[in-house]
């Protein structure tokens, strides 16, 4: 006989909300990698942050961050259309560093995610 991993119904409901978030993100990209979802969430929580800050916070290699940021932006690698959820803006203080922000479509996705767990 198996016992539940959840000690309370609140824990079960919270975890159900996590599953709901995954399903909303799957609507964006059927096989969305966890690294892409983590990057989207980090940008939403840290608008105006840099790619270097993102990589440090998520412990992510530069190549993984760049690939997923490109997929989340307007134009993906190889010129394919991206998801248009984030944008890179030139940092006026350091032209080599790009600042990360949500696009209007990215903000709408955050609102959809919040609505899904209410």
């Amino acid at each position: 006989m198996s016992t539940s991993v959840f000690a309370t119904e609140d824990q079960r409901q919270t975890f159900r909300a996590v599953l709901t978030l995954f399903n909303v993100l799957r609507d964006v990209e059927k096989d969305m990698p966890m690294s892409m979802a983590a990057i989207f969430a980090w940008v939403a929580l840290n608008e105006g942050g840099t790619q270097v800050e993102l990589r440090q916070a998520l412990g992510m290699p530069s190549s993984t961050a760049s690939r997923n940021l490109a997929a989340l932006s307007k134009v993906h690698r190889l010129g394919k259309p991206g998801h248009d959820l984030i944008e890179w803006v030139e940092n006026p203080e350091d032209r080599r560093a790009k600042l990360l922000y949500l696009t209007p479509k990215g903000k709408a996705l955050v609102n959809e995610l919040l609505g899904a767990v209410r």
Side-chain angles (χ1 to χ4, degrees):
M1 183 152 120
S2 174
T3 60
S4 177
V5 68
F6 304 105
T8 68
E9 186 58 29
D10 275 354
Q11 289 177 340
R12 184 179 209 59
Q13 293 290 46
T14 298
F15 207 74
R16 189 171 283 125
V18 172
L19 179 59
T20 300
L21 294 176
F22 289 159
N23 286 329
V24 170
L25 291 171
R26 285 185 63 212
D27 288 343
V28 172
E29 182 174 322
K30 184 178 184 244
D31 295 318
M32 181 179 280
M34 292 298 292
S35 55
M36 188 182 295
I39 287 171
F40 176 75
W42 188 90
V43 172
L45 291 166
N46 299 280
E47 282 195 281
T50 67
Q51 184 174 344
V52 171
E53 293 167 336
L54 177 144
R55 286 188 299 111
Q56 290 171 344
L58 299 179
M60 188 174 287
S62 180
S63 59
T64 301
S66 294
R67 181 177 57 255
N68 285 291
L69 284 167
L72 289 166
S73 69
K74 191 172 216 122
V75 180
H76 193 292
R77 298 181 311 149
L78 309 175
K80 295 189 319 186
H83 295 297
D84 193 24
L85 299 172
I86 63 154
E87 61 183 337
W88 299 358
V89 176
E90 189 173 286
N91 184 345
E93 296 173 14
D94 180 358
R95 295 176 57 126
R96 294 169 299 166
K98 304 289 188 214
L99 305 177
L100 304 168
Y101 292 94
L102 293 177
T103 64
K105 186 176 174 183
K107 290 177 183 180
L109 179 58
V110 168
N111 286 327
E112 183 180 351
L113 290 164
L114 290 172
V117 296
R118 286 190 184 117

